[in-house]
Amino acid sequence: MNQATNQGPTVPPPVPATLASVLNRNIHALQDRRRADERKASTQEKIAEAITHFTGSMAFVYIHLALFGLWILLNVGLVPGFKPWDPTFVILATAASVEAIFLSTFVLISQNRAAALDDKRADLDLQINLLSEHEVTRLLTLTKAIAKHLGVDTSDQPELEELERDVAPEAVLDKIEDRAMRSDQ
């Protein structure tokens, strides 16, 4: 087989001409929610986000390379005609330290906002997962009833009984916390 036709055991699925209407609705709903969350941000949060966005760019790096490089060149005495005003770089170090304090604060503000939005999305994911679990449990119960009605023997699958029970999220969380506390001891 030549290299071009040897794609391995799987091939990508065909690309649908259009998305399912429910998928389109979900995409639009999520985009609308994101825009609403952005509109709800306070002026301070928007400023912090803009500063964080800029300081996380290569333009910010290039500007600092140019400014610090020029500062260093002028203050080590390599440029004739310029008298160094910061030969020990104390002023540069102080300015960089103050800048770092402010930048870290802006980053923390942006991270706190992002974490709050992530928490909301995680809550939505959990709710959808719990609903899906409940629906799958109901489908399994219905499928088992159909199998029984058709005379299909499921006695060789003892896990079906366990899978038919609804998951109690509180019990799962309690078990996780219990195990975490035991592993910490």
Side-chain angles (χ1 to χ4, degrees):
M1 234 186 267
N2 68 31
Q3 196 72 4
T5 60
N6 185 7
Q7 296 179 352
T10 62
V11 292
V15 178
T18 60
L19 295 176
S21 62
V22 70
L23 188 54
N24 269 328
R25 185 190 67 78
N26 290 345
I27 290 170
H28 289 295
L30 291 172
Q31 288 173 334
D32 290 346
R33 179 57 60 114
R34 257 194 199 157
R35 283 191 286 272
D37 286 340
E38 288 171 11
R39 283 191 302 274
K40 286 180 193 174
S42 68
T43 303
Q44 293 90 342
E45 289 172 331
K46 289 177 183 176
I47 291 170
E49 191 69 36
I51 291 171
T52 302
H53 182 73
F54 174 67
T55 59
S57 71
M58 287 307 294
F60 183 78
V61 172
Y62 297 142
I63 290 169
H64 277 73
L65 280 173
L67 288 175
F68 288 171
L70 182 63
W71 188 289
I72 291 168
L73 282 175
L74 293 175
N75 282 289
V76 294
L78 293 179
V79 179
F82 283 96
K83 182 178 180 217
W85 68 90
D86 188 20
T88 60
F89 301 112
V90 170
I91 298 171
L92 179 63
T94 302
S97 297
V98 170
E99 179 186 48
I101 290 168
F102 281 105
L103 289 179
S104 62
T105 303
F106 291 129
V107 168
L108 289 172
I109 292 168
S110 295
Q111 285 179 337
N112 286 342
R113 183 167 179 268
L117 292 173
D118 287 344
D119 284 346
K120 284 172 56 175
R121 290 184 190 114
D123 287 345
L124 175 62
D125 284 345
L126 177 61
Q127 291 300 321
I128 290 170
N129 287 337
L130 290 172
L131 178 61
S132 295
E133 169 65 28
H134 180 73
E135 290 170 348
V136 168
T137 300
R138 292 297 153 248
L139 286 171
L140 184 60
T141 302
L142 180 61
T143 304
K144 190 175 172 188
I146 292 170
K148 183 179 179 182
H149 179 75
L150 294 175
V152 177
D153 182 23
T154 59
S155 62
D156 63 337
Q157 299 173 5
E159 69 275 2
L160 288 179
E161 189 175 314
E162 181 181 344
L163 293 174
E164 283 184 280
R165 293 193 308 249
D166 276 320
V167 172
E170 304 87 0
V172 174
L173 289 171
D174 289 345
K175 189 73 159 180
I176 291 170
E177 289 171 1
D178 183 50
R179 285 193 179 177
M181 286 185 357
R182 279 192 272 139
S183 68
D184 288 345
Q185 293 174 354

